[in-house]
Amino acid sequence: MRLYRHMIKWLLLTVFFIFPLSGHAHSGNGAVSAFEPNLRVGILTNQNSIEVSADAKFAIISTGTAKVLGDFGAKDTATIAVRESGFTINGRPVEATGLAIVIKKAHSLVYSEQYLYANKRRYRGDLSIHRTIGKPGMTVINTLPVEQYLYGVIKNEISPEWPLEAVKAQAVAARTYALANSNKHAADGFELCATTDCQVYGGRESESPKAIEAVDTTRGLVLTYKGKLITAYFHSSSGGYTEDSENVWSVKQPYLRGVADFDQSSPYYKWEEKLTLAELNQAISKAGYNIGYLQAVELSPLANPPVASFDRGVSGRVKSVYLKGTTGNILLTGTKLRNMLNLKSTLFDITISKQHPQPAMSVYASKDRKKDYTHPIAIKPTDFVVITGFGWGHGLGLSQWGAKAMAEKAPPGNTEYFKDILKHYYQDVEIKKAY
């Protein structure tokens, strides 16, 4: 009986730590606080079944009642599936609103060497499961401290083999982004997702020694503007110049201003896409626009930044493009056209190329659309639309390839140079210790 009471006490404590009061550690208004919070990361969503395991003996318990629903040995596998009411564990129905997978810790074992597994991937921290909100499947949540979460992020966002100062800059940006967006998926029952919609998180399999070093040496450091956490956007390569935030997502952020980039060595610095006129017409139609057969494109020519044009941002990224067809016209955002054509960025120019020898024809427009300065696109489907672009990503904030170039030229032995990188790409920010 004494052992039983001890077990119940252990289970209740376990449930408490699986669902920590992380909201006390950082607030929704972007303020920083005194201690390291936990993050609840949705690693799998709307799953019909999953496999769980652990490096040590583990138990599956009901999060609502703390009742043990199954005991398992080290490396045993338990298959959890959803049913109309509750779940099944290895085919056995159990009644529970949610589940927690917990390691039975022994004093002789080193906790840091024990991991939980979900679908054969290792995770630090704790795992819990609930029914996916608004859908028939289930969601798996990994709850762990921010720094351990970052261990599994950095390698997926930047190469840890790059100069350490660049990786450290990425670590600070990723930490800031995670804390500033910790309520992004509150409606889904967790804080952050594990995909590009938030940051790509892959658990223990995504860690590397150099990534961990970058996280550890910048522990707790975040970017703030006027005392509030910033939304620290980052991207692969800007194509020579980053962008003002309002030209990408309409909202002006004073710390997200266009600046010169140093990403010329990026493999994505310059790229080209070539489409037949028939392919472009098909893409326009597939996107739901009925303008008939495309006849002309209005877009001001790409110039050197900083750009002052009604249809381009300060970097030259396309804000709007006008398509004229045989049965209608349409004004698209650069982002919409990028998505339609699966382009790497909105920093591009358009020319028309014919199969028979002719110089490429520029496509451009005057601010006064009553004056038609566009070259008509020939109707022949053998003509090509050539899109010459620069960079990869939205172009806001930290350019990873630019950070790499800056770090490669850092003064020898300067272990604080990551701050110079961050203050170049994020304007008028402070770098503070959050915990």
Side-chain angles (χ1 to χ4, degrees), residues 82-152:
V82 291
R83 64 189 186 97
E84 189 172 335
S85 174
F87 304 87
T88 63
I89 301 175
N90 290 340
R92 177 174 56 86
V94 295
E95 296 295 331
T97 57
L99 306 174
I101 297 87
V102 295
I103 289 177
K104 295 181 177 180
K105 300 176 180 65
H107 294 297
S108 60
L109 296 177
V110 181
Y111 175 68
S112 62
E113 295 179 351
Q114 301 170 5
Y115 300 96
L116 293 168
Y117 294 71
N119 285 353
K120 298 182 170 61
R121 293 187 70 92
R122 292 178 295 169
Y123 293 93
R124 297 175 183 269
D126 300 303
L127 295 178
S128 58
I129 299 170
H130 66 70
R131 299 297 288 262
T132 300
I133 297 172
K135 295 181 180 179
M138 57 184 166
T139 292
V140 184
I141 297 172
N142 181 200
T143 302
L144 74 171
V146 173
E147 302 299 305
Q148 293 183 16
Y149 159 76
L150 293 173
Y151 290 167

Side-chain angles (χ1 to χ4, degrees), residues 177 182 202 247 266:
Y177 187 90
S182 60
N247 294 329
S266 164

Side-chain angles (χ1 to χ4, degrees), residues 103-409:
I103 289 177
K104 295 181 177 180
K105 300 176 180 65
H107 294 297
S108 60
L109 296 177
V110 181
Y111 175 68
S112 62
E113 295 179 351
Q114 301 170 5
Y115 300 96
L116 293 168
Y117 294 71
N119 285 353
K120 298 182 170 61
R121 293 187 70 92
R122 292 178 295 169
Y123 293 93
R124 297 175 183 269
D126 300 303
L127 295 178
S128 58
I129 299 170
H130 66 70
R131 299 297 288 262
T132 300
I133 297 172
K135 295 181 180 179
M138 57 184 166
T139 292
V140 184
I141 297 172
N142 181 200
T143 302
L144 74 171
V146 173
E147 302 299 305
Q148 293 183 16
Y149 159 76
L150 293 173
Y151 290 167
V153 166
I154 302 303
K155 183 179 177 181
N156 294 320
E157 298 291 355
I158 196 171
S159 171
E161 303 306 314
W162 283 3
L164 184 60
E165 294 308 297
V167 186
K168 287 159 68 175
Q170 176 68 63
V172 176
R175 182 183 295 109
T176 306
Y177 187 90
L179 292 175
N181 288 276
S182 60
N183 292 321
K184 186 170 185 177
H185 286 275
D188 299 312
F190 51 88
E191 293 171 318
L192 293 171
C193 64
T195 70
T196 53
D197 184 51
C198 297
Q199 297 183 107
V200 180
Y201 168 69
R204 183 67 180 84
E205 265 65 40
S206 292
E207 297 179 10
S208 78
K210 289 187 177 180
I212 291 174
E213 180 183 359
V215 172
D216 288 346
T217 55
T218 62
R219 176 180 170 81
L221 292 180
V222 294
L223 296 157
T224 65
Y225 179 81
K226 293 186 176 180
K228 301 290 182 65
L229 291 168
I230 72 169
T231 303
Y233 291 115
F234 51 87
H235 59 282
S236 176
S237 169
S238 77
Y241 211 90
T242 67
E243 188 53 79
D244 294 348
S245 62
E246 63 269 26
N247 294 329
V248 179
W249 287 316
S250 300
V251 179
K252 182 176 181 178
Q253 297 290 5
Y255 51 82
L256 293 174
R257 302 292 89 196
V259 297
D261 198 7
F262 313 102
D263 63 330
Q264 286 75 16
S265 63
S266 164
Y268 318 111
Y269 178 73
K270 186 175 182 180
W271 46 267
E272 182 179 283
E273 295 288 342
K274 185 181 288 188
L275 300 88
T276 66
L277 189 56
E279 289 171 333
L280 182 53
N281 276 310
Q282 185 179 21
I284 295 169
S285 178
K286 186 177 179 181
Y289 301 107
N290 183 19
I291 65 171
Y293 207 79
L294 186 65
Q295 290 189 312
V297 177
E298 291 185 1
L299 178 65
S300 59
L302 182 59
N304 291 329
V307 174
S309 174
F310 74 101
D311 57 358
R312 291 185 182 272
V314 66
S315 68
R317 281 170 169 76
V318 176
K319 292 196 295 184
S320 63
V321 57
Y322 195 65
L323 305 182
K324 302 176 72 174
T326 55
T327 61
N329 307 323
I330 186 70
L331 183 67
L332 297 177
T333 65
T335 299
K336 181 64 178 179
L337 187 60
R338 177 194 176 189
N339 293 336
M340 284 168 52
L341 303 180
N342 196 28
L343 305 177
K344 290 181 174 63
S345 77
T346 58
L347 183 55
F348 58 80
D349 212 350
I350 301 176
T351 55
I352 308 304
S353 177
K354 296 179 179 293
Q355 279 194 332
H356 53 83
Q358 273 191 9
M361 299 162 57
S362 296
V363 180
Y364 62 93
S366 163
K367 185 173 183 177
D368 183 358
R369 292 199 185 279
K370 293 180 181 179
K371 297 179 180 179
D372 187 359
Y373 292 140
T374 61
H375 288 287
I377 297 177
I379 298 177
K380 296 179 181 179
T382 54
D383 290 345
F384 288 95
V385 178
V386 181
I387 302 174
T388 304
F390 300 85
W392 192 356
H394 47 61
L396 295 182
L398 179 73
S399 161
Q400 293 163 328
W401 278 91
K404 176 180 183 288
M406 289 185 69
E408 288 172 342
K409 296 181 180 180

